[in-house]
Amino acid sequence: QASCAGPTAARLGAGIPLGRRPGARFPLVQPPGAGFALVQPRPARFPPGGSVRWAGLRGLCTGAGGCWRCGAAPLEPPGFFCSSCRALQPPDRRRDYFQLLGLPRRFRLSAERLSRSQRRLQRDLHPDNFSRSAEAERRFSEEQSALVNEAYGTLLRPLSRGLYLLRLELPAEAQPEEEEAGSQLPAGDPAFLAAVLRLNEQLEEARGPEDIGLVAEEVEARLRELTELVAQAFEQGRPRETRPLLSQMRFWSSLRERVKERLLPR
């Protein structure tokens, strides 16, 4: 798909009125909180398959256009604000979640650093900061804040972080079942299958918190072991080997949720 030619296409894709050069035939207006804008006599038209796509409120430039307000060159990720006019920019869907949060692209992450990055960005991007800004910036603030929360939720949990990193490492081999929690036990590991069935039965037969706690301890131990194996596989450049490990993590995580439900007061 072609890239945007520059800031003009970026502004049109974001739904921003265009500025006009001096001497233009059409009048210039200056709405509150925005630069000069053109009162256009007719909507702009793009040929089929053009470089600007429209997707509801997420009509964004698909290429490396400049700032929607002043046309300054785009920043390196995660450039949320224009370095020239400080306008908040629309979300850049080409960035992965690690880039978005300013974190290294790896499986081992510090939960504290992840949380600190999310809180800092939410302070900067919160819609209340743009209550008097142009409509475009208010919309961008909501979209950016939602995207930061989405990235944080994905990278916080080892399972979702591993599945996401696997798709980044092997985009051509992404499998639909990796998007959802599987409904069938993976074949090929009799010891794993036996352990899952045994602990499920043990949980069903548990008569009190003590019995449930024994199941919880083993489930957590299994998850810690798998998390370490997944980390090692990614670090050693063997992402394909994480696929069966993540599949197992999915079932242990599901069993952990069942354990939590049993521990809730009835």
Side-chain angles (χ1 to χ4, degrees), residues 16 44 63 70 80 82 93 113 115 121 125 128 134 158 176 193 211 247:
I16 312 301
C70 71
F80 291 97
C82 173
R93 295 288 171 173
R113 183 178 177 185
S115 179
L121 288 175
L125 301 171
D128 287 350
L193 298 176
D211 293 338
S247 182

Side-chain angles (χ1 to χ4, degrees), residues 226-263:
L226 285 168
T227 299
E228 179 61 27
L229 291 174
V230 168
Q232 292 177 9
F234 276 124
E235 290 168 355
Q236 296 171 10
R238 298 180 282 108
R240 287 182 182 84
E241 295 183 14
T242 68
R243 185 168 281 126
L245 299 173
L246 291 168
S247 182
Q248 292 185 22
M249 284 183 68
R250 189 157 46 201
F251 283 93
W252 289 124
S253 296
S254 177
L255 185 54
R256 178 169 59 183
E257 293 304 312
R258 290 186 55 207
V259 168
K260 291 179 180 178
E261 292 176 2
R262 287 292 307 274
L263 289 173

Side-chain angles (χ1 to χ4, degrees), residues 126-143:
H126 197 279
D128 287 350
N129 298 335
F130 303 91
S131 59
R132 297 185 179 181
S133 300
E135 179 184 353
E137 272 191 292
R138 295 198 299 270
R139 185 172 76 244
F140 295 156
S141 170
E142 294 174 356
E143 294 176 348

Side-chain angles (χ1 to χ4, degrees), residues 25 30 38 48 65 76 96 101 106 120 161 182 199 212 216 246 254:
R25 291 184 302 162
Q30 189 173 17
L38 169 65
E76 291 297 321
D96 61 51
L101 295 172
R106 63 190 185 197
R120 174 180 57 81
R161 182 169 68 244
L199 285 175
I212 298 174
L246 291 168
S254 177

Side-chain angles (χ1 to χ4, degrees), residues 10-26:
R11 295 182 71 177
L12 286 171
I16 312 301
L18 294 177
R20 191 70 171 177
R21 295 187 300 273
R25 291 184 302 162
F26 305 114

Side-chain angles (χ1 to χ4, degrees), residues 2 5 43 110 113 118 143 224 236 264:
S110 164
R113 183 178 177 185
Q118 186 257 2
E143 294 176 348
R224 285 194 300 270
Q236 296 171 10
L264 291 175

Side-chain angles (χ1 to χ4, degrees), residues 66-81:
C67 172
W68 62 269
R69 176 184 287 174
C70 71
L75 299 177
E76 291 297 321
F80 291 97
F81 297 90

